[in-house]
Amino acid sequence: MMGTMKEKIQSLPTAKLARAGLRLLHPSLAAVLARDWLGWRRRPKDSRSHLDAAIRWICRAQDRSGGAGVSAGYSIVHGWHPPYPETTGYIIPTLFDYARLTSRDEFRDRACRMADWELEVQLPSGAAQGGLYRGEECDRQPVVFNTGQVILGLRRAYVETGDQRYLDGAERAGDWLVSAQSPDGSWRAAGPETETLVHAYDARTAWSLLEIYRLIPNEKYGKAARRNLEWTLEQQQENGWFQHNAFFSAGRWKLPLTHTIAYVMEGLMESWRLLGDERYFEAARKTAERLLRIFELRRFMAGEFDSSWKTTAKYSCLTGDAQIAGVWLRIYQATRDTRFLNAALKLNDYVKETQSLSATHPGIRGGVKGSQPIFGRYTPGVYVNWGAKFLADSLMLEEQVMEEFERAVRKGERLGPGGLGAFLL
Amino acid sequence: MVAERASTLASLREWLWKYGPRVFIEKSAQKLLRLAGLKQASRGAPGRRLRAAGKQGVTPAVDFPVRFVDSHNSPECVELVRSLRPDALVLRGCGILKQPILAAARLGAINPHYASLPAYRGVDVTEWAALHGDPVAVSVHFVTEQVDTGAVIVSRQIIVEPGDTTGRLRDKSAAAAAELLAEALNKLEAGATPSLAAPGVVGRQYFSMHPRLRRLADLRLKGL
């Protein structure tokens, strides 16, 4: 009864407003707002420090939502969000990678807890729900893209542990995806997070089906993935921009964010790695080269672009930045074109400059904002768990690439373009 | 000499917006120091005279007026250059120039570039060649509207010696560039056409090098 009364009081608009006001009084938040308003960025430290901070932030986000699913993020107005099934799904591989890098089982255990939670909240159809998880009783609609991202986590948990439950969960999710696909290869379905029905960034969903196909050699997964990838190629314009790649068809989010543009490139790159079809690689490279030129000439990566790569955006989408840096690093690995490595180092630096390593506030320290500055158009005022995830991925890859690069320099090897074959499975 | 007059207020605003207060303060201080040493002239009028003692036996001493314009691509600049009736334009540290100004001189515009062309187009090319383990060179080429794609007139490889750094190679390249510019102008005056074919848009355009890669370029030179 007392709990109910307390909840009622807490849900009053004035109480919410008061809490938001109190949050904003925290010196760390005031410092963030002041820095962003003045455009004052930090000098980036070594990548390992930023990586460790991002992972610790993810761990705190997991602990804040019960130690299983990962809180979607920290809002400077609303506080910690509930856990997010989609992004928890793709955070699982990141934590396994970090556990391997640091040889610490704590992160492996955390990744397993996330995978267990994904199985708990999986819908009876096998799909993953859209949006944040607010309990069994709330409206939980199945969403294609989110299901694909959860598959990536479950598949990795199976590979790491051999626990059949994870593979069964991934298979159920894969079956649902195959059944929900349109004949043209796209997925057309309404969801709670987007107004648009069809998305080029489902290339990442196709990738998830290919990952299942590697473990369960049932042709339906491979065929469904290929159908979608062919459809994705058709969405690419001659200038590298992808149609059908935004969350909304009108208004403020009608343009694709660099976050969704990078999703498409990631899906194509990973599918190329698994299938060896160079058309997927070339499509990703075409977009990546365009973005590289824009970034190098403007020394800034805007958060969104129209179909002729024009933008009026004054904010940068930090998640998209980290993802693009990761794609550039993979292209460097495949082609040995050092311009991609160079641009990736610079773009990662940009994101590092926006990440506080010393704030006393647990929602801010190590977190990655949706936008730079913080009130940019993408998730204003929120430190998002997927930003921390993609920064961590990109920094882990950066360190690996730079180690190899330095070794080659020390050996006096000539550094130049190479074939693509070495990176195919 | 025709130099661009940087708009101080626009530059300051851009630095503050793009780089934040720390870099803004650094750059402003640098600008103030530069301004203290170089008094700008009024629009289109002859400015201070630039005097440079020539390297003994190599280049003669020069003494010529400096004129300032808002932009090298502005109609004002095109008009000014046309009125001077130059045989050739020699570019140093310019941005991308458009056709009207490039066509303002009888023989065209030439530019020294600190690397082999067309392999290394763009900026920080000395560093990029050193990082890759490729020969470092200086080329003087015709300027077109695209970046470093004009025909090469003369080029020379820079000898890399033990103890060289990328900074030292740049100094060597600058000295070589002065000589090569004179050589290229003599060739043009003699009516010679470029001996090397126009490279077209091949090779790669490089951009400013990240400090981590710059350190590795120096590391590679150290190991030679």
Side-chain angles (χ1 to χ4, degrees):
Chain A
M1 188 67 179
M2 279 303 286
T4 313
M5 183 64 78
K6 189 180 169 189
E7 279 167 17
K8 274 183 183 169
I9 293 169
Q10 281 181 342
S11 66
L12 289 171
T14 43
K16 281 185 180 173
L17 209 62
R19 277 209 308 281
L22 284 173
R23 277 194 199 99
L24 289 169
L25 288 177
H26 195 287
S28 295
L29 276 176
V32 169
L33 294 173
R35 272 179 184 279
D36 281 13
W37 185 69
L38 288 167
W40 198 340
R41 301 202 301 268
R42 298 160 186 84
R43 190 177 285 273
K45 295 209 165 59
D46 62 293
S47 290
R48 186 55 188 268
S49 303
H50 288 272
L51 165 64
D52 292 342
I55 294 289
R56 280 196 295 270
W57 185 94
I58 289 174
C59 294
R60 282 196 295 280
Q62 186 184 28
D63 295 339
R64 288 289 176 153
S65 53
V70 183
S71 163
Y74 180 80
S75 160
I76 64 169
V77 178
H78 303 292
W80 288 97
H81 284 309
Y84 196 1
E86 173 206 329
T87 56
T88 299
Y90 61 41
I91 285 172
I92 293 169
T94 303
L95 279 206
F96 276 123
D97 288 341
Y98 188 72
R100 187 164 290 179
L101 180 76
T102 56
S103 306
R104 286 178 63 184
D105 283 342
E106 177 203 343
F107 303 105
R108 189 181 155 81
D109 295 342
R110 283 181 177 276
C112 289
R113 291 209 301 274
M114 290 178 197
D116 290 339
W117 179 74
E118 291 289 2
L119 292 178
E120 277 174 35
V121 301
Q122 190 171 25
L123 296 171
S125 61
Q129 69 167 80
L132 309 183
Y133 180 77
R134 298 175 192 277
E136 284 287 327
E137 67 285 355
C138 292
D139 182 31
R140 300 171 66 211
Q141 291 179 43
V143 172
V144 167
F145 182 77
N146 304 35
T147 304
Q149 310 323 298
V150 171
I151 287 174
L152 295 174
L154 292 176
R155 178 247 161 212
R156 181 63 183 271
Y158 169 73
V159 169
E160 292 284 341
T161 64
D163 188 332
Q164 187 64 30
R165 291 177 308 133
Y166 300 134
L167 186 59
D168 292 344
E171 189 178 8
R172 280 198 304 278
D175 289 344
W176 181 79
L177 284 178
V178 172
S179 70
Q181 193 176 31
S182 302
D184 68 354
S186 67
W187 278 280
R188 289 167 197 276
E193 294 151 304
T194 60
E195 181 240 333
T196 46
L197 299 182
V198 60
H199 305 114
Y201 59 76
D202 269 325
R204 269 186 72 105
T205 312
W207 163 34
S208 76
L209 284 175
L210 290 175
E211 292 287 4
I212 299 180
Y213 183 50
R214 284 170 74 193
L215 299 172
I216 306 168
N218 185 330
E219 279 298 325
K220 68 178 177 183
Y221 301 124
K223 280 182 180 167
R226 272 193 177 275
R227 266 202 304 274
N228 178 261
L229 292 166
E230 294 304 314
W231 178 85
T232 307
L233 291 184
E234 287 168 17
Q235 306 315 305
Q236 191 175 34
Q237 295 184 169
E238 200 48 49
N239 67 3
W241 191 83
F242 288 93
Q243 302 174 67
H244 296 298
N245 201 27
F247 293 142
F248 294 86
S249 58
R252 62 195 293 234
W253 279 6
K254 70 175 181 181
L255 296 180
L257 299 159
T258 48
H259 176 42
T260 55
I261 295 168
Y263 269 160
V264 187
M265 291 193 290
E266 288 167 346
L268 289 169
M269 288 287 291
E270 293 301 326
S271 300
W272 161 72
R273 186 176 58 83
L274 296 172
L275 294 172
D277 189 331
E278 288 193 11
R279 291 175 309 141
Y280 304 148
F281 178 82
E282 289 305 329
R285 178 156 74 173
K286 186 188 265 189
T287 308
E289 274 185 353
R290 193 69 191 231
L291 286 166
L292 181 142
R293 202 171 163 74
I294 289 168
F295 173 65
E296 290 284 18
L297 292 176
R298 296 183 191 167
R299 300 180 184 189
F300 175 72
M301 184 66 84
E304 61 193 35
F305 290 98
D306 70 13
S307 59
S308 52
W309 292 107
K310 288 198 169 69
T311 184
T312 54
K314 293 263 190 270
Y315 74 96
S316 192
C317 168
L318 295 174
T319 309
D321 292 345
Q323 288 174 276
I324 290 166
V327 169
W328 284 343
L329 287 167
R330 274 178 230 128
I331 291 176
Y332 162 72
Q333 284 186 308
T335 62
R336 299 294 169 199
D337 184 340
T338 38
R339 293 174 305 167
F340 285 101
L341 172 58
N342 185 52
L345 292 172
K346 289 194 247 179
L347 194 50
N348 271 344
D349 271 1
Y350 177 82
V351 183
K352 283 152 66 177
E353 285 167 10
T354 68
Q355 185 193 32
S356 170
L357 302 184
S358 56
T360 55
H361 195 296
I364 294 172
R365 192 175 57 256
V368 175
K369 289 170 274 191
S371 290
Q372 177 66 26
I374 193 165
F375 285 113
R377 195 174 283 178
Y378 184 56
T379 65
V382 184
Y383 286 77
V384 292
N385 73 18
W386 53 100
K389 173 251 171 6
F390 282 110
L391 178 62
D393 285 349
S394 191
L395 293 180
M396 281 192 273
L397 185 56
E398 180 190 297
E399 284 314 286
Q400 182 198 326
V401 166
M402 284 304 288
E403 258 177 44
E404 289 164 11
F405 192 84
E406 187 167 340
R407 212 175 301 132
V409 168
R410 284 183 188 281
K411 280 186 189 166
E413 289 173 15
R414 196 198 164 276
L415 301 163
L420 303 180
F423 297 91
L424 299 174
L425 284 179
Chain B
M1 179 185 280
V2 181
E4 272 188 2
R5 181 193 300 113
S7 159
T8 309
L9 200 64
S11 301
L12 292 177
R13 211 171 29 230
E14 187 185 343
W15 293 339
L16 183 61
W17 187 80
K18 260 191 184 169
Y19 306 113
R22 193 184 63 227
V23 176
F24 167 77
I25 291 165
E26 281 171 17
K27 280 186 169 276
S28 304
Q30 285 168 6
K31 181 137 188 125
L32 281 173
L33 288 173
R34 263 206 311 275
L35 282 175
L38 182 68
K39 200 173 168 185
Q40 288 193 0
S42 61
R43 180 184 298 248
R48 80 196 251 286
R49 296 186 76 79
L50 187 73
R51 291 186 183 83
K55 197 174 169 186
Q56 203 161 12
V58 180
T59 50
V62 291
D63 178 5
F64 48 81
V66 182
R67 292 164 191 261
F68 289 92
V69 290
D70 286 336
S71 159
H72 281 130
N73 286 312
S74 64
E76 167 208 12
C77 180
V78 175
E79 197 56 40
L80 174 65
V81 171
R82 278 185 188 149
S83 71
L84 295 170
R85 296 174 173 272
D87 292 321
L89 299 181
V90 177
L91 310 183
R92 290 309 304 262
C94 293
I96 295 172
L97 298 187
K98 295 190 176 147
Q99 196 52 36
I101 187 70
L102 292 176
R106 187 172 57 88
L107 297 170
I110 63 171
N111 178 58
H113 181 76
Y114 291 1
S116 295
L117 285 172
Y120 288 94
R121 300 189 288 119
V123 300
D124 284 355
V125 279
T126 304
E127 288 81 353
W128 282 110
L131 180 72
H132 290 164
D134 281 344
V136 176
V138 175
S139 312
V140 175
H141 64 97
F142 278 109
V143 179
T144 63
E145 282 190 282
Q146 288 176 306
V147 178
D148 303 329
T149 54
V152 176
I153 304 161
V154 285
S155 68
R156 182 189 297 171
Q157 190 172 332
I158 303 296
I159 306 299
V160 182
E161 294 163 299
D164 275 349
T165 60
T166 49
R168 172 89 185 110
L169 288 178
R170 278 199 159 268
D171 292 344
K172 283 183 175 182
S173 298
E179 293 171 14
L180 286 175
L181 276 172
E183 199 179 313
L185 287 170
N186 287 336
K187 272 192 169 188
L188 291 182
E189 198 172 29
T193 49
S195 54
L196 301 173
V201 188
V202 285
R204 287 177 172 166
Q205 185 181 350
Y206 288 87
F207 299 95
S208 64
M209 186 181 274
H210 188 275
R212 274 181 90 177
L213 296 186
R214 200 179 287 266
R215 279 196 294 276
L216 289 176
D218 279 326
L219 185 73
R220 182 187 274 275
L221 290 171
K222 218 174 174 179
L224 285 172

